Amino acid sequence: MRALKERVQKESAWVQPLLDEVGKVLVGQREMIERLLIGLLTGGHVLLEGVPGLAKTLAVSTLAKAVHADFQRIQFTPDLLPADLVGTLVYHQGDGSFRVKKGPVFANFVLADEINRAPAKVQSALLEAMQERQVTIGESTYPLPRPFLVLATQNPIDQEGTYPLPEAQVDRFMLKTVVGYPSREDELTILRRMARTAEAHETRAIVQPEAIVSARAIVDALWVDPSVEEYIVDLVLATREPARYGAKDLDGLVAHGASPRATIALALAARATAFLDGRPYVTPDDVRTIAPDVLRHRIGVTYEAEAEEVASGAIVQRVMEVVQVP
């Protein structure tokens, strides 16, 4: 364990400098940045939801600059076509051949801005890229660069021109983080830093992609006690059968619980949380810290829950209250 702790400290040496560099541009929103780092450390896609103007796009673009890797931003609009995302075949009149022109999805970090404004065919093309790490152009399949990560932003569903994402695609996001308004102190700092015509701070590259890949191996090696593993499984099972775990008040409110993919995601995200904290082992607090972001978008609520204005996030909080902590 001592040797593993030394490896964690060595491999995580870039974390604080990265946070400091991002903090020169982004005020507050520490939780959002940590969730993005968890995505980097686990290879899991991250969905950020919040009203416009909360620095979601700024956070992703700044983090991409701090990590020296290929970055593409794709603005999702109702008229976007799958070819605009993955690429297409271009006819060359000179020799009568078709050649592949790859789209912007061929990058290490893809910012899918306002992802819930695009039509279903575009979402289907992105789903293949997210799940299989490959895209199909014509009759051929092309692998995407490694590492490959989709960092998406989304406006609340009730805003004009937005559409719910397919459940299969939402499930492919390891985390869904709800971004809130900054505190009064942070808002005052934002005013003093950003309310000027001068250009903002130019973000420096702090870490190379190779360091992140190396850190992923350490994340996989972190110790998870069997009791913590059982706790993770119980949390997920409680979203499917809440009454069995003592939450009878949730009867009739859950249409479907989290899938086994949620169990895998919760374990990985808990490991990454421990890594960011510099520890070689996972605690129940690591699981509880990240559980809402892993589970909230994987729970379907019934019409009764909608009528009573019970959201999936409230169901997750109730589940965390009834499941015994080891």
Side-chain angles (χ1 to χ4, degrees), residues 131-154:
Q131 180 62 26
E132 308 296 336
R133 262 67 174 185
Q134 66 181 28
V135 298
T136 301
I137 304 175
E139 297 180 353
S140 301
T141 300
Y142 301 88
L144 293 169
R146 294 184 183 275
F148 173 74
L149 195 65
V150 174
L151 305 172
T153 67
Q154 172 178 283

Side-chain angles (χ1 to χ4, degrees), residues 89-282:
L89 295 173
V90 178
Y91 178 73
H92 286 257
Q93 191 172 5
D95 56 10
S97 64
F98 285 91
R99 300 176 188 173
V100 174
K101 181 181 180 182
K102 294 182 178 180
V105 77
F106 285 87
N108 296 117
F109 300 103
V110 175
L111 169 57
D113 208 9
E114 295 187 302
I115 188 173
N116 58 331
R117 293 188 183 275
K121 286 186 177 181
V122 175
Q123 305 295 356
S124 178
L126 182 61
L127 179 60
E128 180 187 8
M130 292 173 61
Q131 180 62 26
E132 308 296 336
R133 262 67 174 185
Q134 66 181 28
V135 298
T136 301
I137 304 175
E139 297 180 353
S140 301
T141 300
Y142 301 88
L144 293 169
R146 294 184 183 275
F148 173 74
L149 195 65
V150 174
L151 305 172
T153 67
Q154 172 178 283
N155 293 330
I157 297 300
D158 57 353
Q159 291 210 341
E160 185 176 353
T162 60
Y163 310 94
L165 293 176
E167 291 182 356
Q169 183 173 356
V170 172
D171 197 41
R172 262 66 176 190
F173 284 100
M174 170 180 264
L175 305 174
K176 177 184 176 182
T177 298
V178 177
V179 183
Y181 289 107
S183 65
R184 184 181 186 278
E185 292 74 16
D186 287 341
E187 190 114 11
L188 190 59
T189 303
I190 292 171
L191 184 152
R192 291 169 176 168
R193 182 182 298 181
M194 307 297 290
R196 59 188 66 203
T197 58
E199 293 186 5
H201 171 77
E202 184 65 28
T203 304
R204 298 180 298 112
I206 300 298
V207 60
Q208 299 293 325
E210 294 77 12
I212 294 174
V213 174
S214 178
R216 287 179 179 179
I218 304 301
V219 170
D220 288 340
L222 296 190
W223 168 253
V224 184
D225 189 83
S227 64
V228 177
E229 292 178 332
E230 292 179 8
Y231 180 56
I232 291 172
V233 171
D234 284 336
L235 281 176
V236 176
L237 291 179
T239 66
R240 306 173 195 167
E241 303 176 87
R244 177 183 171 188
Y245 288 85
K248 294 183 179 180
D249 53 318
L250 296 182
D251 273 350
L253 301 182
V254 179
H256 63 81
S259 68
R261 187 181 283 116
T263 306
I264 298 170
L266 186 52
L268 281 173
R271 289 175 185 267
T273 302
F275 178 87
L276 291 176
D277 200 36
R279 283 181 284 102
Y281 56 89
V282 176

Side-chain angles (χ1 to χ4, degrees), residues 25-27 29 32-33 48 51-62 153 179 190:
V25 176
L26 203 69
V27 178
Q29 304 291 14
M32 175 171 58
I33 296 301
L48 304 176
V51 298
L54 296 181
K56 302 184 298 297
T57 302
L58 179 63
V60 175
S61 60
T62 302
T153 67
V179 183
I190 292 171

